[in-house]
């Protein structure tokens, strides 16, 4: 397990305030991998800004965004991402049984670092627009990175329902 002992002792007052703000905004009891990143404030701020944009500034409808995130968590077996998004997804009306099949293909290909099949990409673009198609690919790529960070730093799970692969 890669952990910086007593990491919070390295936080400045400003970082402590940011940490609390992040927990409140995300409705989570833990910072996960962000807690380790905070020892490198410039890097933390860049990674956090991307996450904030994707989660709160996204042009994707919440149901598409959260469906893509949960599908990515399933593909990558990321319990951290599953638990941090299951309630947001439920609130957005996500039903994984009814997910757009082309979204599923985009997520599976991107999470697996494979080329997205053109026919599925074109159908998704036709249904949701070019910007949404590009954003889904970026979203899945970013959440692949977040899942890797969570695994590398053995991020504390926030609690919640066990992921579907663990049942």
């Amino acid at each position: 397990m890669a952990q910086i002992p007593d990491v919070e002792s390295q936080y400045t007052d400003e970082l402590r305030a940011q940490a609390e703000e992040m927990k409140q905004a995300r409705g989570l009891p833990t910072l996960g991998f962000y807690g380790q990143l905070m020892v490198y404030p410039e890097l933390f701020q860049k990674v956090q800004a991307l996450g904030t944009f994707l989660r709160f500034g996204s042009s994707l409808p919440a149901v598409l965004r959260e469906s893509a995130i949960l599908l990515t968590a399933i593909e990558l077996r990321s319990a951290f991402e599953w638990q941090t998004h299951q309630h947001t997804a439920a609130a957005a009306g996500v039903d994984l049984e009814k997910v757009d099949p082309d979204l599923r293909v985009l997520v599976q290909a991107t999470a697996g670092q494979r080329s997205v099949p053109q026919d599925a990409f074109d159908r998704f673009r036709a249904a949701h627009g070019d910007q949404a198609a590009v954003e889904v690919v970026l979203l899945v790529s970013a959440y692949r990175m977040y899942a890797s960070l969570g695994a590398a730093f053995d991020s504390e799970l926030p609690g919640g329902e066990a992921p579907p692969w663990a049942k």
Side-chain angles (χ1 to χ4, degrees), residues 21-164:
E21 185 180 311
M22 279 182 70
K23 286 192 258 184
Q24 292 296 319
R26 288 168 166 78
L28 297 172
T30 176
L31 290 174
F33 61 85
Y34 282 112
Q36 301 294 308
L37 294 183
M38 287 180 130
V39 300
Y40 187 170
E42 297 84 6
L43 179 64
F44 157 74
Q45 289 170 355
K46 301 290 187 203
V47 173
Q48 193 260 351
L50 177 61
T52 298
F53 172 77
L54 291 171
R55 187 138 182 225
F56 302 109
S58 171
S59 68
L60 291 173
V63 69
L64 274 179
R65 181 189 68 244
E66 295 300 323
S67 293
I69 293 169
L70 286 188
L71 290 171
T72 301
I74 291 168
E75 287 297 309
L76 301 175
R77 301 288 194 253
S78 176
F80 181 81
E81 294 306 335
W82 177 268
Q83 287 188 355
T84 57
H85 285 272
Q86 64 184 355
H87 298 297
T88 308
V94 171
D95 180 348
L96 291 179
E97 302 284 322
K98 298 178 182 173
V99 167
D100 175 340
D102 294 316
L103 175 63
R104 192 176 295 274
V105 170
L106 267 67
V107 169
Q108 289 170 339
T110 305
Q113 294 185 297
R114 296 182 305 275
S115 177
V116 174
Q118 190 67 50
D119 59 338
F121 191 69
D122 288 344
R123 284 190 304 270
F124 189 86
R125 286 177 44 241
H128 304 285
D130 290 346
Q131 185 172 328
V134 169
E135 192 168 346
V136 165
V137 171
L138 176 64
L139 177 79
V140 174
S141 299
Y143 274 84
R144 182 179 172 85
M145 177 185 69
Y146 301 146
S148 294
L149 288 166
F153 291 125
D154 198 25
S155 292
E156 175 186 352
L157 295 176
E161 183 183 324

Side-chain angles (χ1 to χ4, degrees), residues 5-25:
D6 197 23
V7 69
E8 292 181 16
S9 70
Q10 295 189 43
Y11 296 176
T12 63
D13 289 342
E14 182 181 338
L15 285 174
R16 273 189 193 67
Q18 278 185 293
E20 284 308 310
E21 185 180 311
M22 279 182 70
K23 286 192 258 184
Q24 292 296 319

